[in-house]
Amino acid sequence: MNKRAYNFNAGPAALPLKVLERAQAEFVDFRGTGMSIMEMSHRGAVYESVHNEAQERLLRLLGNPEGYKVLFLQGGASTQFAMIPMNFLKQGKVGSYVMTGSWADKALKEAKLFGETHIAASSKEDQYMRIPDLDHLELPEHTAYLHVTSNETIEGVQYQKYPATGQIPLIADMSSDILCRPIDVDSFDMIYAGAQKNLGPSGVTVVIAKEEMLAEQAENIPAMLRYSTFLKNNSLYNTPPSFSVYMVNEVLRWIEEEGGLSAIEQMNRDKAALLYDHIDQSGGFYRGCAEPKDRSLMNVTFRLASEELEKLFVKESEKEGFVGLKGHRSVGGLRASIYNAVPYESCKALADFMEVFQKQHG
């Protein structure tokens, strides 16, 4: 087998090698059926067992919260930006949003197409390099929901705690940090995530929500954009992204085998500390972008003294087998996305490369 790349892509992102090897072994003949999982009817018992297993496994990893259901949808988190206001932003209500970066901004823009919106808190004045104060949120009485983006992949900030919203539903886009650590699911009415960072390959979007919320009948919305459609049909109303769901199930199995979310969190903290410590101890050669208290466990963003030096860093790193270290085009700089499946060894190799690069160009 060829040496694997040091994959720091922001998404689609690294998948666990064990999962890829397992999928490879089952690719042509799944469980003795003589077919690949990709060739099966989604109405058949074999696929449905995988589909249901993935839902059950996800809820189990989250502590089996009562009254929650898992949906498998398509269209990525970007479609959820529209589906949420379409389904829940009724006339006379307002959708409240905490503005933490590029993805929160996209969610807000979609909501504005469907109804009244409100910014409950924002860190825009600091270029979104911190999480705003959540202790003094301004929520109108007629708020339909509060939407938060748990981790901003582009800026590299992450919530360390979530706001208490009382009777107001709390909805979180957790696309880039779902299952990176234990969370109290009961604090949320809905969590959604595109799979391609921490859950599996692109193609499936996961929604975890209170059943009564999903059951709400939204009028004048196409069937494929109603949560109730998927709830009633166990996400089998139309053909689901069956291979992606299968891969999600295998990634969830891998998380269980690694020791569950507490063990995964410790691994992630160790990886992040390795890189952040190197940045902080570089004497200013490397500069972290996000405020230290709000730094992401998943996306380590940093800068060098000039754009020319950053371009050289990317070029030299690619020669050494590193992939995906260029920052997002909207903000520039450098970024290492260290999702669950990125091994500690890759982060150690990056820290070592950073040290050598500093010696050569510092």
Side-chain angles (χ1 to χ4, degrees):
M1 178 178 170
N2 292 333
K3 183 188 174 196
R4 285 179 52 78
Y6 298 123
N7 186 355
F8 293 97
N9 275 328
L15 286 162
L17 181 58
K18 280 184 186 174
V19 169
L20 293 172
E21 289 173 341
R22 203 174 281 160
Q24 183 183 44
E26 296 181 329
F27 192 74
V28 175
D29 183 3
F30 183 67
R31 297 182 183 174
T33 59
M35 291 184 287
S36 171
I37 189 94
M38 290 191 292
E39 301 175 285
M40 293 178 185
S41 167
H42 63 292
R43 307 284 180 206
V46 176
Y47 172 73
E48 244 184 284
S49 70
V50 172
H51 187 94
N52 295 336
E53 193 177 292
Q55 292 170 327
E56 290 160 11
R57 186 168 262 130
L58 180 53
L59 288 175
R60 189 162 66 240
L61 278 166
L62 292 169
N64 283 320
E66 277 188 39
Y68 287 78
K69 291 286 186 181
V70 173
L71 304 182
F72 294 129
L73 310 180
Q74 297 179 66
S78 295
T79 298
Q80 295 305 300
F81 297 163
M83 273 183 77
I84 287 163
M86 284 173 90
N87 282 264
F88 306 129
L89 189 48
K90 308 261 190 328
Q91 199 165 1
K93 293 281 192 176
V94 59
S96 287
Y97 287 73
V98 178
M99 303 307 293
T100 47
S102 305
W103 294 108
D105 187 55
K106 288 185 178 182
L108 176 67
K109 281 175 179 165
E110 291 293 278
K112 284 180 176 178
L113 299 174
F114 299 99
E116 187 186 347
T117 60
H118 168 75
I119 295 176
S122 175
S123 57
K124 188 176 183 179
E125 71 277 8
D126 293 316
Q127 287 74 52
Y128 297 129
M129 291 304 164
R130 63 177 180 86
I131 298 293
D133 178 16
L134 303 173
D135 294 330
H136 304 98
L137 289 180
E138 299 169 17
L139 296 175
E141 280 183 28
H142 57 306
T143 295
Y145 57 81
L146 176 67
H147 180 282
V148 299
T149 306
S150 62
N151 182 81
E152 291 280 0
T153 57
I154 292 174
E155 290 79 10
V157 296
Q158 183 180 33
Y159 282 73
Q160 307 307 317
K161 63 173 185 175
Y162 293 97
T165 56
Q167 297 302 306
I168 295 170
L170 180 60
I171 298 176
D173 174 4
M174 290 194 179
S175 294
S176 53
D177 70 346
I178 191 167
L179 303 186
C180 80
R181 58 189 178 184
I183 56 166
D184 177 15
V185 177
D186 291 317
S187 302
F188 302 90
D189 294 76
M190 176 183 286
I191 293 165
Y192 66 95
Q196 66 275 10
K197 299 174 190 292
N198 254 358
L199 286 174
S202 59
V204 62
T205 306
V206 173
V207 170
I208 306 150
K210 288 181 177 175
E211 187 170 0
E212 67 264 25
M213 194 169 185
L214 296 172
E216 280 188 37
Q217 288 290 346
E219 297 173 13
N220 305 319
I221 296 178
M224 284 296 290
L225 294 170
R226 273 184 240 144
Y227 292 109
S228 58
T229 300
F230 295 90
L231 177 67
K232 282 179 193 168
N233 295 279
N234 190 30
S235 300
L236 295 166
Y237 175 76
N238 70 325
T239 309
S242 51
F243 185 74
S244 294
V245 172
Y246 156 77
M247 287 293 286
V248 166
N249 189 40
E250 292 305 320
V251 170
L252 297 174
R253 189 197 306 273
W254 172 79
I255 291 172
E256 287 179 336
E257 291 167 355
E258 291 296 313
L261 295 187
S262 293
I264 289 289
E265 178 182 24
Q266 189 56 56
M267 284 165 49
N268 286 328
R269 291 201 179 279
D270 290 346
K271 292 186 300 187
L274 188 64
L275 297 181
Y276 285 125
D277 287 351
H278 207 83
I279 290 166
D280 293 341
Q281 292 164 18
S282 70
F285 183 80
Y286 299 106
R287 291 176 288 113
C289 297
E291 266 195 27
K293 68 180 178 60
D294 297 322
R295 281 172 166 173
S296 170
L297 284 177
M298 299 283 94
N299 308 99
V300 177
T301 53
F302 58 103
R303 303 296 307 241
L304 291 171
S306 68
E307 286 187 25
E308 290 70 28
L309 200 54
E310 289 167 354
K311 285 176 184 173
L312 183 63
F313 182 95
V314 171
K315 188 178 176 183
E316 294 294 320
S317 72
E318 287 171 350
K319 288 180 189 172
E320 299 299 322
F322 294 92
V323 176
L325 291 173
K326 187 178 179 182
H328 192 271
R329 62 186 178 277
S330 64
V331 296
L334 300 160
R335 171 178 60 178
S337 295
I338 54 172
Y339 302 119
N340 287 354
V342 175
Y344 182 87
E345 291 71 29
S346 292
C347 295
K348 179 68 170 69
L350 176 56
D352 291 344
F353 171 79
M354 289 168 73
E355 188 172 340
V356 170
F357 187 85
Q358 181 176 353
K359 283 176 183 171
Q360 291 173 342
H361 302 284

